[in-house]
Amino acid sequence: MTAYKIGVLRGDGIGPEIVQSAVDVLTAASKIVQGVELDWLELPMGWPAIREFGDALPLLTKEALGSCHGWIMGPHDSSSYPLEHQEKRNPSGELRHHFDLYANIRPNKTIPGIKSVVGEADLVIYRENTEGFYPDRNMFTGMGEWLVTPDVAVSVGVFTRKAAERIAHAAFQSAMKRSKHVTIVHKANVIKLGYGLFLSTCREVGAQYPEVTVDDYHIDAMAAHLVRRAKDFDVIVTTNMFGDILSDLAGELVGSLGLAPSINASDDRAMAQAAHGSAPDIAGSNTANPVGELLSSVMLLDWLGNRHNDSRLHQIGRLIENAILSTIEGGVSTRDLGGSASTTAFTQAVIAKLI
């Protein structure tokens, strides 16, 4: 029996409901495949952590995650935190910074039974996760923004060769297993030094993968191309802010942001985190769509399977993925997708498809 310790961060809003769905489904699926055990470690994060520890992400949580193979994170509602907590990195940003989770990987694929604005599409966005124009991540200490006068704000973007190289390698390695096509998205025509360095570095890395076709687009053009011909793209690699925007756009184009999965990964840690927010308006109503969190958890299993060379984790992932798709195709879905299933009813329907 091989045991994997998985951290559980339930978070805010609908977080506790959709994370519970993921825990239930993964636990059920892991019992079907012999020789694997998932050990869950509950840790405080978000409003419950503020109330108990005075910190949305206590030190004890970060220390405990260091001993985990990976973890599942629910959404946080940091915009509602007390002001002194809003001035810190939000829990997601802090974990990405603390564990150097440099790759935010966001697949966007059409799902049978879900209406897509763009028809068939299957692409994945590799978003550099540690610098760019996100000031909570681009400085060793402090924040990369200054209020020069009450009427003048300055925000700095940071671009390094190291960061561009490692996200580019991750993207090209993924492309080698897919359709061997990488698209670099940038704004080097205007921000010539920062995005110029990102673009040239990605192209240098691409030269090491001669089988992969490489093209590049400015961010504004790329947004239009996704709407018009999303099916033509395979792997997209881009910077922090652009990746955040494009992945939300792509998620809606192929069906719904509520279905969009995501993991944040370094070379030795990974965090499953759905791309959507905490939806506090429906929190506790048992109506949230858990698919984004479920598919994020599947991505975590696949990442762990690759990291530890354990095909059983891939087996569990395929069981879950097929059960989710079969459930949706069979007409069971939550209210946001036009169905009537509650969060728990959808979860139980997926578990029933595992058997």
Side-chain angles (χ1 to χ4, degrees):
M1 180 70 70
T2 304
Y4 293 93
K5 186 190 291 187
I6 309 297
V8 178
L9 309 176
R10 295 184 180 272
D12 305 318
I14 61 172
E17 298 161 84
I18 62 174
V19 169
Q20 187 60 52
S21 175
V23 170
D24 290 346
V25 171
L26 266 67
T27 299
S30 67
K31 292 178 179 177
I32 297 173
V33 176
Q34 297 292 316
V36 173
E37 182 178 351
L38 301 179
D39 292 337
W40 304 105
L41 179 63
E42 297 267 354
L43 295 166
M45 184 272 283
W47 266 112
I50 290 174
R51 295 187 185 104
E52 185 173 357
F53 300 98
D55 192 338
L57 192 71
L59 180 60
L60 67 90
T61 295
K62 288 187 283 189
E63 290 178 341
L65 289 175
S67 68
C68 292
H69 291 89
W71 58 92
I72 298 172
M73 184 181 196
H76 51 72
D77 186 19
S78 54
S79 62
S80 74
Y81 293 168
L83 185 59
E84 63 269 25
H85 297 283
Q86 293 185 36
E87 291 173 348
K88 304 175 184 178
R89 288 190 189 96
N90 64 44
S92 175
E94 177 60 23
L95 287 176
R96 297 178 194 194
H97 182 86
H98 182 78
F99 289 102
D100 196 25
L101 305 176
Y102 65 85
N104 186 201
I105 307 166
R106 295 188 171 189
N108 297 275
K109 184 177 181 179
T110 47
I111 294 177
I114 301 296
K115 183 179 179 180
S116 166
V117 176
V118 292
E120 292 289 325
D122 181 4
L123 60 92
V124 58
I125 296 173
Y126 275 73
R127 168 193 174 194
E128 201 291 313
N129 215 14
T130 65
E131 50 183 42
F133 279 102
Y134 277 23
D136 65 338
R137 284 162 233 172
N138 65 13
M139 292 286 154
F140 174 72
T141 186
M143 301 289 271
E145 288 194 302
W146 302 272
L147 199 60
V148 181
T149 76
D151 302 313
V152 177
V154 175
S155 299
V156 64
V158 176
F159 302 85
T160 66
R161 184 176 301 278
K162 174 186 174 182
E165 282 180 344
R166 61 186 185 176
I167 194 65
H169 277 295
F172 278 94
Q173 288 165 12
S174 175
M176 288 293 292
K177 300 174 184 177
R178 292 172 51 92
S179 299
K180 298 182 179 179
H181 176 199
V182 169
T183 300
I184 307 163
V185 178
H186 59 93
K187 194 63 177 173
N189 60 323
V190 175
I191 304 174
K192 296 185 178 183
L193 296 182
Y195 281 105
L197 177 63
F198 182 83
L199 173 60
S200 63
T201 302
C202 287
R203 283 204 166 273
E204 288 167 10
V205 170
Q208 301 174 40
Y209 301 84
E211 296 176 58
V212 177
T213 300
V214 184
D215 52 19
D216 70 89
Y217 293 96
H218 300 148
I219 177 63
D220 43 346
M222 187 63 198
H225 285 302
L226 274 182
V227 173
R228 185 178 293 274
R229 55 185 190 95
K231 65 181 176 60
D232 293 341
F233 297 98
D234 179 29
V235 176
I236 296 168
V237 61
T238 189
T239 56
N240 206 337
M241 184 166 62
F242 291 170
D244 198 3
I245 296 167
L246 283 180
S247 57
D248 280 11
L249 171 62
E252 282 295 323
L253 290 174
V254 301
S256 166
L257 191 58
L259 304 170
S262 160
I263 63 167
N264 301 269
S266 67
D267 294 331
D268 60 358
R269 295 281 195 289
M271 170 173 77
Q273 180 187 27
H276 60 72
S278 62
D281 56 318
I282 60 168
S285 66
N286 196 26
T287 59
N289 182 353
V291 172
E293 197 77 17
L294 287 169
L295 291 176
S296 299
S297 301
V298 169
M299 291 181 69
L300 176 62
L301 290 173
D302 284 334
W303 184 91
L304 289 170
N306 291 335
R307 164 105 178 125
H308 299 282
N309 194 27
D310 192 339
S311 62
R312 297 168 299 182
L313 293 171
H314 294 296
Q315 285 181 257
I316 297 170
R318 298 293 71 71
L319 282 173
I320 297 170
E321 185 175 30
N322 291 336
I324 293 168
L325 297 178
S326 178
T327 299
I328 294 173
E329 198 167 10
V332 179
S333 62
T334 47
R335 188 181 304 170
D336 60 308
L337 298 177
S340 60
S342 65
T343 309
T344 51
F346 183 86
T347 301
Q348 291 304 311
V350 171
I351 291 173
K353 293 286 187 181
L354 294 171
I355 302 170

